[in-house]
Amino acid sequence: TKAAILKALGHPIRFCIVEGLLQGEQHVTTMVDCTGVPQPTVSQHLNILKSAGIITYKRDGNHILYSVCSDEAAKIVKALA
């Protein structure tokens, strides 16, 4: 729902993650460097974004690549960025 998307994007770190993912697929290590928070914290935020249906992921060997799958979330982030 729109409320769930807004709630998930309401945290600055999650907003930053989605904003970065709009530039293209990323690994967690890239997000850690960008946000400046530890990997476990980034992973917790990624789980919230996945649960809200904002991002998706695919395996790339031993790594996981994340990307935005919600057009609504993308529009919101682009409007506010």
Side-chain angles (χ1 to χ4, degrees):
T1 67
K2 291 179 182 178
I5 290 171
L6 290 172
K7 184 177 178 183
L9 292 175
H11 192 285
I13 291 174
R14 290 193 290 271
F15 188 91
C16 178
I17 288 170
V18 174
E19 191 175 23
L21 289 175
L22 288 175
Q23 309 303 315
E25 296 177 328
Q26 293 183 7
H27 297 282
V28 173
T29 51
T30 306
M31 293 178 230
V32 168
D33 294 341
C34 173
T35 59
V37 295
Q39 185 270 326
T41 304
V42 170
S43 292
Q44 287 176 342
H45 287 295
L46 289 171
N47 283 329
I48 292 168
L49 292 168
K50 280 189 285 187
S51 296
I54 295 173
I55 63 169
T56 188
Y57 64 94
K58 66 180 182 182
R59 287 215 166 265
D60 177 29
N62 291 335
H63 300 283
I64 297 176
L65 281 171
Y66 292 90
S67 60
V68 176
C69 63
S70 167
D71 290 337
E72 284 184 327
K75 288 177 189 173
I76 292 167
V77 171
K78 286 177 185 175
L80 296 174

